[in-house]
Amino acid sequence: SNKYNFFTIGRQTEELVGRHLRFNISEGVTNKLPKVRYVIHCAGKAHSVPRSVKESKVFFEVNLQGTINFCQSLIESNTTPDALIFISTVAVYGKDAGVMITEDDALDAISPYAKSKAMAETYLQNWANENGVRLGILRLPLIAGPNPPGNLGAMIRGIRSGRYLSIGKADARKSIVWASDVAEIIPNVAKIGGIYNLTDGEHPSFKELEHAIATILGKNDPLSVPLPIAKVLGYAGDLIGSKFPVNSDKLKKIISTLTFNDAKARAMLNWNPCGV
């Protein structure tokens, strides 16, 4: 970070690092962006399940239209960066299960979140090509680090509170990546561009994750629920709705292995994450 001067934009008024512009990309276009060499686009809406058409539209307003607005803002501000790095997601593949999925797999995004990110990727590829900008797209799985978002954060909170139950053998494996490793590889991505899956290469099982988290928190390993009972609970969740902690769809994801291949990043970017 000592090599770079940072300029941040966001909805908050406070300065994060360097200079800061208060700007909501989902609400319009600005001509006040500074001239920069590299842009890291990590703004977006995630980690919620829409319960209505209106809530679904918000994903597209932020992740797709926000990206369009931001790129138009670069043009209006008369600044064309050397490179733009887009923080995307492995959800664009639309898979609930799979082993070592590569960047060549089809984008069969299903959820509004995944569809909006996939559409943003497509827009950015066209925009970058038209404007001579080197584009890097990083498709991330579960993100680990201090106060992680999403399902990993929910697992940590559940184990800390004693309200988390392991399911069956808990042997399904998931890809994971450490947040600071992603940050450190961005300069390499900016130099050559491209689309990459990033993982820590370990692909731990749920049981391994549960044990590691419990150990760090000084807790006992969580109690296990037999799979047949978990399925009954999943059906109950289907009937009761969002207030119930689990449903059949969530259960399917928990018991299915879903891993991603990062060989391309290792070959092209010298990706060799060190983790914690």
Side-chain angles (χ1 to χ4, degrees):
S1 63
N2 293 334
K3 298 179 182 179
Y4 303 97
N5 294 316
F6 288 90
F7 188 99
T8 62
I9 67 170
R11 293 176 298 172
Q12 305 301 318
T13 56
E14 67 267 21
E15 187 172 321
L16 302 179
V17 286
R19 296 168 293 161
H20 181 71
L21 173 67
R22 185 169 184 262
F23 170 52
N24 188 335
I25 63 173
S26 67
E27 294 183 350
V29 174
T30 182
N31 61 1
K32 297 180 180 179
L33 299 182
K35 292 188 181 298
V36 293
R37 289 188 62 195
Y38 305 125
V39 170
I40 304 168
H41 177 6
C42 53
K45 177 174 176 58
H47 310 307
S48 66
V49 178
R51 292 171 291 183
S52 66
V53 172
K54 182 178 180 180
E55 289 184 2
S56 293
K57 286 183 178 179
V58 176
F59 286 95
F60 295 92
E61 291 169 359
V62 176
N63 297 338
L64 176 58
Q65 188 59 49
T67 295
I68 295 171
N69 290 345
F70 179 69
C71 288
Q72 186 60 38
S73 294
L74 289 170
I75 301 299
E76 292 293 326
S77 301
N78 195 31
T79 177
T80 303
D82 293 343
L84 187 152
I85 312 304
F86 181 55
I87 304 301
S88 191
T89 169
V90 293
V92 297
Y93 297 111
K95 301 284 197 302
D96 285 335
V99 177
M100 300 303 279
I101 294 165
T102 74
E103 294 87 350
D104 294 328
D105 276 55
L107 303 192
D108 295 324
I110 298 172
S111 69
Y113 166 63
K115 284 183 178 179
S116 64
K117 295 292 277 191
M119 293 171 73
E121 283 192 15
T122 299
Y123 174 81
L124 283 170
Q125 290 178 72
N126 293 328
W127 181 86
N129 185 56
E130 292 172 359
N131 290 278
V133 175
R134 196 159 49 250
L135 176 66
I137 295 175
L138 301 180
R139 293 175 180 160
L140 307 185
L142 286 171
I143 300 173
N147 302 312
N151 292 332
L152 187 58
M155 179 186 287
I156 293 171
R157 291 191 296 273
I159 293 174
R160 179 184 287 121
S161 67
R163 296 178 179 176
Y164 179 92
L165 293 174
S166 185
I167 295 176
K169 295 180 180 178
D171 56 357
R173 294 190 171 273
K174 303 290 182 181
S175 292
I176 193 167
V177 70
W178 192 253
S180 61
D181 286 332
V182 176
E184 288 180 9
I185 203 65
I186 284 176
N188 288 12
V189 183
K191 292 175 184 176
I192 66 172
I195 300 174
Y196 306 94
N197 297 333
L198 296 183
T199 82
D200 68 358
E202 297 294 331
H203 316 290
S205 68
F206 264 91
K207 184 171 288 294
E208 290 168 341
L209 280 173
E210 291 161 0
H211 177 71
I213 293 168
T215 299
I216 291 171
L217 295 176
K219 302 285 187 179
N220 293 326
D221 285 359
L223 297 176
S224 179
V225 175
L227 184 56
I229 294 177
K231 288 183 176 180
V232 172
L233 292 173
Y235 295 141
D238 296 341
L239 296 173
I240 296 172
S242 60
K243 293 183 179 180
F244 204 71
V246 68
N247 56 36
S248 295
D249 183 59
K250 186 177 291 187
L251 178 63
K252 180 182 176 182
K253 293 179 180 179
I254 291 172
I255 64 176
S256 299
T257 286
L258 183 60
T259 58
F260 298 87
N261 189 319
D262 64 0
K264 180 181 177 184
R266 292 176 187 272
M268 301 292 293
L269 302 175
N270 194 30
W271 169 250
N272 186 26
C274 59
V276 181

